[in-house]
Amino acid sequence: MSAFDLFFQQLINGIIKGSLYAMIALGYTMVYGILGIINFAHGEVFMIGAMVAMTMTTILLKVGLSPILALVVAMLAAMVACMITSFLIERLAYRPLRHAPKLAPLITAIGMSFILQALAMLVWGREHFPFPEVLPSDRINLFGNVGVTMREIIIVVVSFVMMGGLFVLVNRTKLGRAMRATAENVNVTALMGVNPNKVISATFMIGAALAAVAGVLFATNYGGKVHFYMGFIPGMKAFIAAVLGGIGNIPGALVGGLVLGLVESMGAGYISAEYEDVFAFVVLVVVLIFRPSGLLGQRVADRA
């Protein structure tokens, strides 16, 4: 493969991976924008989405549904499961600590991550499960040796449609206005007649729905990696993407995810794929040193 082909192939790979990171990162950045906490259990919500979808797809294919219909139904089931899980996390783990010192919800988030991993291990076991082949994997040659599969095109299209839907919701709907108002000041928003508890719960659930879709898309593309621990690394990378773009900034999560995906892909192509995970954490260190507010410069005020 020529240098030209290598660059464009890694560019395509980076966009595919970055779109998934961006979808997960939106959950981190929305919660942080409103509550000022990092929901480290969000990676496990991503994992639950993939596991539920894998189980549902397998069952539906056995009863005779077409692969695409089975995947759509499984994705909807995964979204519902993740939204319920995230609602319970917020209601039981975070809401009682809303006025506690900031270290308390951080420790709780890490604890919830371990709890969800343990529950998933009890339900599905320790095995690595293959995700059924439901999306077409035909390769389309763009030019030279550069190509992309239909499955990868579907992943990118679905990712951007979901993220576009979120931007419309946040900027064009009553719930979105309530979310933006709550992010500015929870107490004043309550005085204006908005129930902040409902808005915060809705924020967790919307982020969980995006994480569920990302989990399903990730599992379809990396089918041999569906297991109870699969959410940790993608979750951490999505957190890095949120920090890179500017934590609390929704467009920043999209930019950060794409940039991180490109950095990883280029690093794997030009240096070594063995250090792919290292590149993400190098990016985190560099950003925290030189631009802690992120690429888009969003600064979130400390909450009292």
Side-chain angles (χ1 to χ4, degrees):
M1 182 178 289
S2 67
F4 179 83
D5 290 346
L6 176 62
F7 173 79
F8 279 97
Q9 186 63 64
Q10 295 306 321
L11 180 65
I12 293 170
N13 295 340
I15 292 173
I16 295 165
K17 188 176 296 184
S19 64
L20 296 176
Y21 290 156
M23 289 185 69
I24 312 171
L26 285 167
Y28 283 105
T29 207
M30 286 193 299
V31 169
Y32 186 87
I34 289 181
L35 291 180
I37 64 173
I38 303 297
N39 178 21
F40 279 119
H42 194 60
E44 276 53 56
V45 175
F46 161 90
M47 173 270 295
I48 289 173
M51 298 294 274
V52 169
M54 179 271 300
T55 303
M56 286 294 298
T57 304
T58 303
I59 294 172
L60 293 173
L61 289 175
K62 287 182 179 179
V63 299
L65 258 67
S66 66
I68 296 297
L69 182 58
L71 181 63
V72 171
V73 174
M75 185 177 292
L76 293 174
M79 292 172 69
V80 172
C82 289
M83 290 170 74
I84 293 173
T85 300
S86 203
F87 172 79
L88 293 175
I89 291 173
E90 189 278 326
R91 183 65 183 85
L92 300 177
Y94 295 144
R95 190 177 299 183
L97 300 175
R98 195 168 293 171
H99 302 292
K102 290 189 175 182
L103 187 60
L106 177 62
I107 295 173
T108 301
I110 297 172
M112 285 304 305
S113 176
F114 289 131
I115 289 171
L116 291 175
Q117 286 181 20
L119 290 175
M121 183 176 61
L122 290 174
V123 173
W124 285 283
R126 295 175 175 268
E127 294 83 4
H128 286 56
F129 296 95
F131 198 94
E133 289 284 342
V134 289
L135 293 178
S137 57
D138 302 332
R139 184 178 175 85
I140 301 172
N141 289 323
L142 302 178
F143 49 85
N145 293 318
V146 178
V148 63
T149 66
M150 282 300 300
R151 178 169 55 203
E152 292 168 340
I153 293 174
I154 292 172
I155 288 172
V156 173
V157 170
V158 172
S159 298
F160 278 91
V161 167
M162 293 294 294
M163 289 185 286
L166 174 66
F167 294 145
V168 172
L169 185 148
V170 170
N171 294 296
R172 295 288 187 268
T173 67
K174 184 177 180 181
L175 175 59
R177 289 193 296 271
M179 290 168 62
R180 286 182 280 125
T182 305
E184 290 292 331
N185 193 305
V186 175
N187 296 324
V188 173
T189 303
L191 294 175
M192 299 295 289
V194 175
N195 188 330
N197 288 331
K198 291 183 178 180
V199 174
I200 292 169
S201 294
T203 301
F204 271 82
M205 294 172 72
I206 293 168
L210 291 170
V213 174
V216 176
L217 297 177
F218 182 92
T220 59
N221 208 35
Y222 309 99
K225 297 183 179 180
V226 182
H227 54 91
F228 77 98
Y229 196 63
M230 66 176 287
F232 178 73
I233 293 297
M236 289 301 297
K237 290 181 179 179
F239 167 66
I240 293 171
V243 174
L244 175 61
I247 190 78
N249 188 317
I250 290 179
L254 171 59
V255 173
L258 291 175
V259 170
L260 182 62
L262 290 171
V263 168
E264 278 195 3
S265 182
M266 293 298 178
Y270 287 101
I271 301 176
S272 174
E274 294 182 359
Y275 302 109
E276 185 175 7
D277 293 339
V278 175
F279 300 135
F281 295 98
V282 170
V283 169
L284 177 62
V285 172
V286 171
V287 170
L288 291 177
I289 292 174
F290 295 104
R291 193 174 176 83
S293 62
L295 293 176
L296 300 191
Q298 176 83 1
R299 294 184 181 275
V300 180
D302 291 336
R303 309 297 173 89

